[in-house]
Amino acid sequence: MIARKEIAMRIVAPLLVGLLVLAGWEAFCRAGNIPAYLFPAPSAIAQTFAKDAPTLLKALMMTLKVTFQAFFFAIVIGTLMAFVFVQSKAVELSLFPYAVLLQVTPIVAIAPLIIILVKHTQIALVICATVVALFPIVSNTTIGLRSVDPSLAAYYRMNKASRLQTLLRLRIPSALPFFLAGLRISSGLALIGAVVAEFVAGTGGRSAGLAYEILQAGFQLDIPRMFAALLLITITGVVLFGLMVGLTKLALGHWHDSEIEGEA
Amino acid sequence: MNSAVPFELPASALAMKADAIPVIEVRSAEKIFPNGTRALAPLDLTVQPGEFVTLLGPSGCGKSTLLKLIANLSEPSDGRLRWWRGDFTGVGQAGKRLAFVFQDATLMPWAKVLTNVRLPLDLAGVPKAEAEARSMAALQRVGLETFAKSYPRQLSGGMKMRVSIARALVTEPDLLLMDEPFGALDEFTRNKLDADLLELWWERKLTSIFVTHSIYEAVYLSTRVVVMAARPGRIYREFIIDEPQPRGEAFRNSTRFAELCRELSGILADASLAGAPA
């Protein structure tokens, strides 16, 4: 009973806050008679959203495509890199600094370069977003693959386990919590990377995704539409995060400390 | 102890395997750590089939190091070891199986109890159905068959250790090595597990080497106690406990038990005081 009450609180309380903020926002705009091109009321944003839904949703699909492709490549490349790093210290030492280099260079600074170099807009965007999303997966998975309980590792050695057996039965499960934490960060970064790259591409006149819609709406002073596009990006981010949380729960819920709530 | 000096085996062990080949022979094995610490001075130890040998001593006497050498978890800096008169490559074949129980239960938290117990069989490529049946039998032996589908985190410390022992037994080992397996448990649980362990040993005549720093545990379990001294780690004295088997609660409460504990305690005190040999 208490658990159900807590879940209700978890949903109802933030929802209530949201509604209050929206109502206040609406009231503020109406009372102050603030024009929609300066600061639109929620109702105006909703109207615009209804009117422009087809274009906005099409833009959303593009952004999603870039985000998911980048996320996918980040997972594949990042995990492979981590496996290579773990196999050989020499490889890790020689390559890791470059992974850091990629991570610390602001994507906004390299995006124009990538977009000029790569002719196909979609591919250029995916490259930009992948670069942003890659690092958390590489570093987390590498740490994860290394953080094997030494006694268990000794046990495997003693039982003459093959390298493959040790990898599949010991290293990968040990790395899973770290990998999933990396995914959680990386999914958000893939979206940010996609939007940033779209902005850069959009400034260059290449149409793409929600960021381009925001840019265009800005040029046309269609502020409600900017808000509508922004809202879609935010919702996408929240949904992505929720998906990753769900995935983590599914994979670790039955055994990992991070997912087990006050039982003792 | 030099191997040339014969020591008396308990009658029970001798009667079992009069002309059997020794399970373990340690010959002038020495261990020096990379930082220069001399963990073990060259020492000799022979373990006969059916013995329950306890390595007892103050911390830093190298008892765990010696056990790790026997488990081939580390290599001696000098000297050599033999397993059933051969080298370690032969270990694992029928009649030469070795199992190790760590200080902690060392279970895989993501795997169910049954999967944990099955691990050595899975690694050895035993068919699934057979592995499953044998693992259930091993779990039954330690009284945890109803927890086969539980995860390790749902078990108490003592139960986890039982799972660890089941995992060791499932391979039908011929030599069981244990590194202070019950050190972290409360005394009541420890006594219970000691009693179960002794029963297992008696049932299968399973050659066992057990590391502990508890005098009571050593007296209760062993047929022979190897008392070790520190700096450098070495064998100080051997102490035969030739009490009738199987031992039960009655033995633990007997005056003989108290006497043996007192005697062993004296030896251990001498060992602790003993400086480096000349």
Side-chain angles (χ1 to χ4, degrees):
Chain A
M1 276 336 248
I2 295 163
R4 191 173 293 175
K5 223 175 194 169
E6 203 192 296
I7 290 167
M9 271 298 281
R10 260 180 208 207
I11 296 167
V12 171
L15 218 63
L16 217 65
V17 172
L19 282 175
L20 277 175
V21 169
L22 279 180
W25 179 354
E26 185 78 37
F28 173 74
C29 287
R30 283 181 191 223
N33 238 342
I34 297 165
Y37 59 82
L38 277 184
F39 190 67
S43 58
I45 298 171
Q47 271 167 20
T48 314
F49 188 79
K51 180 165 61 78
D52 293 342
T55 345
L56 284 176
L57 287 179
K58 209 175 134 207
L60 172 67
M61 285 326 285
M62 280 188 78
T63 304
L64 278 181
K65 213 165 136 192
V66 174
T67 305
F68 277 108
Q69 282 177 354
F71 190 35
F72 172 77
F73 285 122
I75 293 172
V76 173
I77 299 169
T79 317
L80 282 178
M81 277 171 81
F83 276 115
V84 172
F85 283 179
V86 172
Q87 293 307 310
S88 143
K89 196 82 196 166
V91 174
E92 185 187 358
L93 288 177
S94 36
L95 287 185
F96 199 76
Y98 296 100
V100 176
L101 209 74
L102 265 186
Q103 161 72 7
V104 296
T105 314
I107 188 65
V108 202
I110 33 171
L113 216 96
I114 295 174
I115 287 165
I116 291 169
L117 286 176
V118 183
K119 221 176 173 126
H120 195 289
T121 311
Q122 168 87 10
I123 296 175
L125 296 179
V126 172
I127 292 176
C128 290
T130 308
V131 166
V132 180
L134 191 61
F135 189 75
I137 294 187
V138 177
S139 67
N140 273 38
T141 312
T142 308
I143 292 172
L145 288 170
R146 286 199 194 292
S147 44
V148 169
D149 176 352
S151 300
L152 263 176
Y155 186 84
Y156 270 72
R157 264 202 316 276
M158 208 163 37
N159 280 278
K160 300 184 175 172
S162 70
R163 238 179 137 98
L164 185 69
Q165 283 175 325
T166 311
L167 181 72
L168 293 179
R169 289 169 174 275
L170 183 61
R171 275 189 189 273
I172 290 181
S174 302
L176 204 59
F178 295 85
F179 171 73
L180 288 167
L183 277 197
R184 213 184 271 204
I185 305 167
S186 183
S187 67
L189 285 180
L191 178 65
I192 292 173
V195 171
V196 168
E198 281 173 3
F199 260 110
V200 176
T203 329
R206 280 153 93 171
S207 128
L210 282 172
Y212 182 76
E213 289 303 317
I214 293 182
L215 270 177
Q216 283 302 311
F219 292 147
Q220 296 158 7
L221 280 183
D222 190 349
I223 311 300
R225 192 168 162 161
M226 278 178 93
F227 270 93
L230 181 64
L231 185 71
L232 278 180
I233 295 177
T234 312
I235 291 172
T236 310
V238 171
V239 169
L240 264 177
F241 186 79
L243 279 178
M244 290 309 120
V245 171
L247 187 69
T248 309
K249 215 168 201 91
L250 212 65
L252 306 181
H254 56 287
W255 69 273
H256 200 257
D257 294 338
S258 67
E259 290 298 322
I260 291 154
E261 290 161 21
E263 262 180 39
Chain B
M1 278 288 140
N2 199 297
S3 62
V5 179
F7 54 79
E8 244 180 293
L9 267 179
S12 50
L14 270 179
M16 270 184 307
K17 311 262 167 113
D19 52 6
I21 57 168
V23 177
I24 292 292
E25 291 164 286
V26 181
R27 291 290 169 267
S28 330
E30 170 175 24
K31 183 75 187 178
I32 297 166
F33 287 135
N35 64 12
T37 312
R38 203 157 170 229
L40 283 180
L43 60 81
D44 291 326
L45 177 72
T46 305
V47 177
Q48 300 291 348
E51 275 195 284
F52 197 119
V53 175
T54 296
L55 307 179
L56 178 75
S59 52
C61 70
K63 51 192 192 294
S64 282
T65 309
L66 178 56
L67 194 73
K68 287 200 175 91
L69 289 183
I70 294 172
N72 198 40
L73 284 174
S74 85
E75 305 231 326
S77 314
D78 199 9
R80 66 191 206 115
L81 283 92
R82 295 217 287 171
W83 293 264
W84 292 276
R85 289 259 156 90
D87 60 11
F88 195 76
T89 47
V91 174
Q93 293 162 6
K96 299 181 187 177
R97 293 209 179 86
L98 177 154
F100 195 97
V101 178
F102 293 86
Q103 246 162 339
D104 305 312
T106 330
L107 304 175
M108 300 178 289
W110 55 83
K112 290 183 176 142
V113 163
L114 187 66
T115 317
N116 267 296
V117 174
R118 234 176 55 192
L119 178 66
L121 300 181
D122 286 346
L123 290 177
V126 174
K128 208 181 164 213
E130 187 196 335
E132 188 114 359
R134 280 169 66 181
S135 307
M136 269 319 275
L139 270 177
Q140 234 152 27
R141 189 60 201 79
V142 297
L144 285 179
E145 66 276 14
T146 48
F147 291 90
K149 299 275 175 236
S150 305
Y151 284 93
R153 51 166 285 271
Q154 295 165 306
L155 308 183
S156 69
M159 285 154 91
K160 280 185 206 161
M161 259 349 278
R162 281 174 192 272
V163 175
S164 194
I165 290 170
R167 183 179 63 183
L169 293 178
V170 78
T171 55
E172 306 271 331
D174 305 285
L175 172 62
L176 182 60
L177 305 176
M178 287 164 283
D179 188 4
E180 287 189 51
F182 311 138
L185 304 178
D186 62 89
E187 202 176 340
F188 179 77
T189 312
R190 179 199 278 222
N191 287 348
K192 176 86 182 70
L193 286 176
D194 279 345
D196 289 355
L197 182 62
L198 202 56
E199 203 177 301
L200 273 170
W201 167 79
W202 179 249
E203 225 170 64
R204 305 193 183 192
K205 309 292 179 286
L206 171 60
T207 315
S208 304
I209 306 178
F210 189 96
V211 166
T212 184
H213 50 230
S214 158
I215 293 165
Y216 307 108
E217 212 171 20
V219 170
Y220 180 70
L221 292 171
S222 328
T223 57
R224 173 160 60 116
V225 182
V226 174
V227 181
M228 296 181 70
R231 280 174 300 277
R234 61 193 188 277
I235 293 176
Y236 180 74
R237 238 186 99 178
E238 302 204 2
F239 186 73
I240 306 287
I241 301 177
D242 193 7
E243 290 301 308
Q245 296 282 1
R247 299 167 187 163
E249 269 316 286
F251 174 58
R252 208 196 284 278
N253 297 323
S254 66
T255 43
R256 180 75 186 128
F257 182 78
E259 264 171 45
L260 285 166
C261 286
R262 206 160 36 239
E263 205 176 325
L264 188 56
S265 172
I267 297 174
L268 191 62
D270 292 345
S272 303
L273 288 173

